[in-house]
Amino acid sequence: MVDYVKGDLDTVEYTPSGADVSAGDVVVLGGVDAKKCSVGVAMKDIADGVTAEGAVAVKGVFAFAKVSGAVILAGQSVNWDSSASAVDDNAHTTGAGDVGQFGKAMEDAGNGITTIMVDISEPGTYDAA
């Protein structure tokens, strides 16, 4: 689960396809292989289906789970590791469902640290491999 920390929020309306989305879940918007996409955060529970819409934040600072061994410095872009459901450093080799070099770390987070604040305003690159 990802928690809102601070900053102006921009949201888009999102309709899930295939599964419900819970508040705080990461949602990849516009994911097409090797194309820019946004990493968003669901602001409320959204039921699956064409008639269900809910707000997903695409701007703001959020506290994300972080891969424990990753070393990330403030100001660096980060990767979304979908298999770990966590942020990893930008040296991480992306795989299927990951988003490379999105957002910006708002603090240093070294080895053993398991959360990090990230400004999600910058899009990343989706890996459909």
Side-chain angles (χ1 to χ4, degrees):
M1 175 156 173
V2 178
D3 293 318
Y4 170 70
V5 176
K6 64 181 177 179
D8 293 335
L9 286 176
D10 282 347
T11 61
V12 296
E13 289 299 309
Y14 174 74
T15 302
S17 176
D20 293 346
V21 174
S22 297
D25 282 356
V26 169
V27 177
V28 176
L29 302 165
V32 177
D33 194 26
K35 301 291 183 190
K36 291 292 184 185
C37 66
S38 293
V39 171
V41 178
M43 299 306 293
K44 66 175 194 169
D45 294 343
I46 312 168
D48 180 35
V50 293
T51 59
E53 280 189 347
V56 173
V58 292
K59 179 181 176 187
V61 177
F62 292 82
F64 282 80
K66 180 185 117 352
V67 172
S68 178
V71 176
I72 302 170
L73 300 176
Q76 289 183 327
S77 62
V78 296
N79 289 349
W80 174 250
D81 183 341
S82 62
S83 63
S85 294
V87 167
D88 205 339
D89 59 51
N90 60 22
H92 160 78
T93 301
T94 60
D98 293 352
V99 178
Q101 299 193 358
F102 84 94
K104 175 174 57 178
M106 301 300 291
E107 61 185 340
D108 293 341
N111 187 11
I113 304 296
T114 58
T115 60
I116 187 169
M117 290 189 303
V118 176
D119 180 340
I120 65 170
S121 302
E122 296 296 320
T125 303
Y126 185 74
D127 189 339

